Amino acid sequence: MARGGINKALVMRARQALLARGEHPGIDAVRVELGNTGSKTTIHRYLKELEESEAGQARSAVGLSDELAALIAPLAARLQGEAEETVARMRQQCDAERADFEARLVQAQEQIGQLQGQVDSLSGQLQAETERHQHSREQLQQAEVEQARLRQANQDQAAHLKDRDEQVRSLEEKHRHSREALEHYRQASKEQREQEQRRHEAQLQQVQMELRQLQQTLILKQDEVTQLNRANERLASENAYRAKALGEQRDRLERQAGELAALHGQLTQSHAAREVLQERLGLLQAETGELKAALDTQRQEAQALHIGLAAANTELQLLRQTIVSEQERARLTSEETAPERQEES
């Protein structure tokens, strides 16, 4: 007995629909055509009855069938040949498209590998350029620190030279005052000696006159002669003392002259050291300029690498989209040819 509303008429309609589509009216196919309802045993019984009924009708019309078969056989053979040729041509076209797609897929994968290698290389170059940029920045900072230190040293040296110049001017001023004092002392000593000598000559003339006049009173004047001799000794001692003071003053002036010469030598060395520092400062400034130029160049190269990397990523994205599109088209083509392959099978 049929169940679920299945009857012979429904099975017959399902069988005819399958035959019209060129499918084999098997039990499972009929059941699917009926909406997955009905017992397979019932469907098998109805199909067997329908086949027996068709077989009986065929036996009653065997003569007509043989004539129709004789007429249709050549047409069927031609249709079968054309169908086979069409299927072979479509199969060849499908195989060619598949081979072309596979070749393009391999080429695309190779391009992806190459682009990935280029991306890795560009990333490595960018990392190297970043490290070089950092190293150049550190060198620039060190050069700026060294330049500041040398500038400070130059300022300290200039202040030291200024102090030395002040000391030299002070010593020169002292030396000039000493020369003026020495000259004044020499002039005063000369005038004093001349005055004493004139006074002594006057006294000697007076003594000689008194001696000529007072030869009879020589014994009385011996005390005065003794006093005059003592005065001469005192003057001689004073002259010796003044000569000694003059020698000491001269020695002191010579020592000051030696110190002045030493200070001049130190001043010359300081000027030479200052010139060396200025020259080194100029070299450091030039090197700083070169480092800044190299840093600008590295920045431009890094920017160009960033642009190249962005272009490579864009090309990689486009290639991936193309591959996805090709895969989708191949999938659609495969789905379209699947029913034809099932009909062939």
Side-chain angles (χ1 to χ4, degrees):
M1 295 297 292
R3 57 193 181 95
I6 299 300
N7 54 30
K8 186 175 180 180
L10 293 175
V11 172
M12 184 177 65
R13 282 198 297 271
R15 180 173 180 274
Q16 291 176 354
L18 291 172
L19 290 173
R21 293 199 299 269
E23 298 179 4
H24 177 67
I27 297 173
D28 293 333
V30 171
R31 192 171 185 277
V32 171
E33 186 69 22
L34 291 173
N36 291 324
T37 60
S39 172
K40 292 184 178 181
T41 303
T42 302
I43 294 172
H44 175 67
R45 181 166 56 83
Y46 285 152
L47 288 175
K48 186 175 181 181
E49 291 177 358
L50 290 172
E51 289 176 355
E52 290 176 353
S53 176
E54 289 178 356
Q57 293 176 1
R59 283 193 298 270
S60 63
V62 61
L64 180 60
S65 298
D66 291 339
E67 293 178 1
L68 290 174
L71 294 173
I72 293 172
L75 296 175
R78 288 178 60 187
L79 289 174
Q80 183 68 26
E82 291 179 357
E84 289 178 354
E85 290 178 359
T86 303
V87 169
R89 185 171 60 255
M90 292 180 65
R91 184 174 296 171
Q92 291 177 357
Q93 183 178 0
C94 182
D95 292 338
E97 290 180 355
R98 181 181 297 174
D100 181 64
F101 172 74
E102 290 177 353
R104 293 176 62 186
L105 181 61
V106 171
Q107 185 178 4
Q109 290 177 351
E110 291 178 355
Q111 291 180 358
I112 290 174
Q114 293 177 0
L115 289 174
Q116 189 66 36
Q118 292 178 2
V119 169
D120 295 338
S121 177
L122 290 173
S123 299
Q125 292 180 5
L126 181 60
Q127 182 67 26
E129 290 297 329
T130 303
E131 293 177 356
R132 288 175 56 192
H133 177 68
Q134 184 66 26
H135 182 65
S136 299
R137 182 178 297 171
E138 292 176 356
Q139 288 183 349
L140 180 59
Q141 290 177 355
Q142 292 177 0
E144 289 177 352
V145 171
E146 182 67 17
Q147 184 178 1
R149 187 183 67 79
L150 289 175
R151 189 180 293 112
Q152 184 64 36
N154 191 12
Q155 292 177 358
D156 295 339
Q157 189 68 21
H160 183 66
L161 289 175
K162 185 177 180 181
D163 293 338
R164 287 287 186 180
D165 292 337
E166 291 293 334
Q167 292 179 2
V168 169
R169 282 195 295 271
S170 177
L171 289 174
E172 289 178 350
E173 187 69 22
K174 289 180 181 179
H175 185 62
R176 185 176 61 80
H177 289 310
S178 298
R179 286 200 304 269
E180 291 177 355
L182 180 61
E183 187 66 27
H184 181 69
Y185 175 74
R186 287 176 179 175
Q187 188 67 28
S189 299
K190 182 179 179 181
E191 291 177 356
Q192 185 177 2
R193 284 196 303 271
E194 289 178 354
Q195 290 177 2
E196 289 178 354
Q197 190 172 0
R198 288 194 299 269
R199 187 171 61 251
H200 178 67
E201 290 176 354
Q203 289 177 358
L204 184 58
Q205 290 175 1
Q206 184 179 1
V207 169
Q208 289 176 356
M209 289 175 63
E210 290 177 355
L211 182 60
R212 287 191 299 267
Q213 292 175 1
L214 300 172
Q215 287 180 356
Q216 291 85 10
T217 60
L218 182 58
I219 296 172
L220 296 176
K221 297 296 183 183
Q222 284 180 352
D223 293 335
E224 294 179 1
V225 173
T226 301
Q227 292 177 358
L228 289 173
N229 290 329
R230 289 178 179 176
N232 288 328
E233 291 176 357
R234 183 176 57 82
L235 290 173
S237 298
E238 290 179 358
N239 289 329
Y241 176 75
R242 289 174 180 174
K244 183 178 180 181
L246 182 61
E248 291 176 355
Q249 186 71 19
R250 187 176 298 154
D251 293 337
R252 187 165 56 255
L253 289 174
E254 290 178 355
R255 286 196 303 272
Q256 290 178 356
E259 292 177 358
L260 182 62
L263 288 174
H264 276 297
Q266 292 179 1
L267 181 62
T268 303
Q269 292 178 358
S270 299
H271 282 298
R274 182 179 180 182
E275 291 178 358
V276 171
L277 288 174
Q278 288 179 351
E279 183 178 358
R280 186 176 179 186
L281 180 61
L283 292 175
L284 284 175
Q285 289 176 350
E287 185 176 356
T288 302
E290 292 177 357
L291 287 175
K292 287 182 179 179
L295 183 60
D296 293 336
T297 303
Q298 290 176 1
R299 286 176 180 172
Q300 294 176 0
E301 292 178 356
Q303 185 176 4
L305 287 174
H306 279 297
I307 294 172
L309 183 60
N313 288 328
T314 303
E315 186 177 356
L316 183 61
Q317 291 295 330
L318 292 174
L319 187 59
R320 286 177 178 173
Q321 292 177 1
T322 303
I323 291 173
V324 170
S325 300
E326 291 293 336
Q327 290 178 350
E328 184 66 20
R329 189 168 66 83
R331 185 180 64 80
L332 293 174
T333 304
S334 177
E335 289 178 356
E336 291 175 356
T337 56
E340 297 177 357
R341 293 178 182 175
Q342 290 179 359
E343 291 178 0
E344 292 175 0
S345 62

